Amino acid sequence: MTSKIPPSFFVLLPSSLVTDASDLRQKTLKIGSIGRVLAMFRVGKVCIYYDDDSHLKNQASEVEVISTLLRYMETPQYLRKLLFPRTKELRYAGLLPPLRTPHHPLADEKTSPGDYREAVVVDAGKRGSLLELGIRERGFTSEKLNVGERVTVRLGKSLGEGKRAIERVHRSEVGEYWGYEVLRAKTLAEALKVLKADYIIGTSRYGKNLYEAVQAIRSSNPRSVAV
């Protein structure tokens, strides 16, 4: 008997998410807590959409703060300096809690052949590409990649001269929770189209009680659920 594959879990967040916070420091703390929850529940995608809130003066700025901090949290620490320039949104990034997810290994973790790591391309030419792996060796592949691109790789054997053979893979091949992807949308309707979830759970006085709908959701065996 084969076990059912659990559905992918998506979350939609409005641009008004942290409007109740008095300043950037408080917003950072609140978003940090949200990022931890996203990782705890193994959310695969989070989409931030522009909210119809008359009290929100600058939606673009709010979306930028939320998305930047969530992406920063999801990125392994050894890659952050390569991917994030200093910006005002990251002023209090030091207050963000660590996720401690499988793709955020400690210095002595996931360093053997066959292990997976996140990497960033630091150099590329005719002979191939060099990648930062967060270990003593740089990753090398004969595939020409784009400098600055973040990729998931499988570690191979050591090549000597400070290089390690790597193979680029899709994160779905890893077999364990590998972080969340941050998306943006102009409206809630657009966000739902972007996520393409089989089941959507929202709040409305016209909707069914969630507990009444649980059985129907389970029996349909959805591949993805958006909340």
Side-chain angles (χ1 to χ4, degrees), residues 9 43 60 62 72 111 130 144 153 224 227:
F9 195 24
V43 171
E62 293 297 302
Y72 186 86
T111 61
L130 283 176
K144 187 175 181 180
V153 302
S224 57
V227 179

Side-chain angles (χ1 to χ4, degrees), residues 111-156:
T111 61
S112 302
D115 286 340
Y116 296 92
R117 292 184 76 92
E118 287 297 284
V120 167
V121 182
V122 294
D123 192 19
K126 294 181 179 180
R127 295 184 178 181
S129 305
L130 283 176
L131 298 89
E132 175 59 51
L133 301 171
I135 59 178
R136 293 181 180 180
E137 299 168 301
R138 287 279 178 92
F140 175 78
T141 175
S142 58
E143 183 181 358
K144 187 175 181 180
L145 304 174
N146 298 318
V147 173
E149 182 181 6
R150 175 180 161 181
V151 296
T152 303
V153 302
R154 182 189 294 114
L155 300 182

Side-chain angles (χ1 to χ4, degrees), residues 8 10 17 27 34 39-41 48 72 75 78-79 86 109 119 134 139 142 146 164 167 182 194 211:
S8 298
F10 306 151
L17 181 68
K27 290 180 181 181
I34 293 169
M40 286 172 58
F41 286 93
I48 303 147
Y72 186 86
T75 302
Y78 59 88
L79 298 180
R86 290 186 178 182
E109 295 177 336
S142 58
N146 298 318
R164 174 75 75 91
E167 177 188 2
V182 180
V194 168
Y211 295 101

Side-chain angles (χ1 to χ4, degrees), residues 48-66:
I48 303 147
Y49 63 92
Y50 283 64
D51 195 10
D52 185 16
D53 188 339
S54 58
H55 297 93
L56 197 56
K57 296 180 180 179
N58 191 339
Q59 295 213 46
S61 176
E62 293 297 302
V63 169
E64 186 65 28
V65 169
I66 299 168

Side-chain angles (χ1 to χ4, degrees), residues 21-101:
S22 58
D23 53 33
L24 180 59
R25 186 178 188 278
Q26 293 301 316
K27 290 180 181 181
T28 301
L29 289 170
K30 185 172 182 178
I31 293 169
S33 298
I34 293 169
R36 281 289 298 272
V37 172
L38 293 175
M40 286 172 58
F41 286 93
R42 301 189 174 192
V43 171
K45 294 180 181 179
V46 53
C47 189
I48 303 147
Y49 63 92
Y50 283 64
D51 195 10
D52 185 16
D53 188 339
S54 58
H55 297 93
L56 197 56
K57 296 180 180 179
N58 191 339
Q59 295 213 46
S61 176
E62 293 297 302
V63 169
E64 186 65 28
V65 169
I66 299 168
S67 62
T68 298
L69 289 174
L70 287 179
R71 287 190 300 109
Y72 186 86
M73 282 189 74
E74 190 276 336
T75 302
Q77 290 186 348
Y78 59 88
L79 298 180
R80 289 175 179 172
K81 288 184 178 180
L82 292 172
L83 294 173
F84 291 89
R86 290 186 178 182
T87 62
K88 61 181 181 180
E89 290 83 10
L90 295 173
R91 181 178 180 182
Y92 298 105
L95 299 175
L96 295 171
L99 295 187
R100 287 300 295 132
T101 48

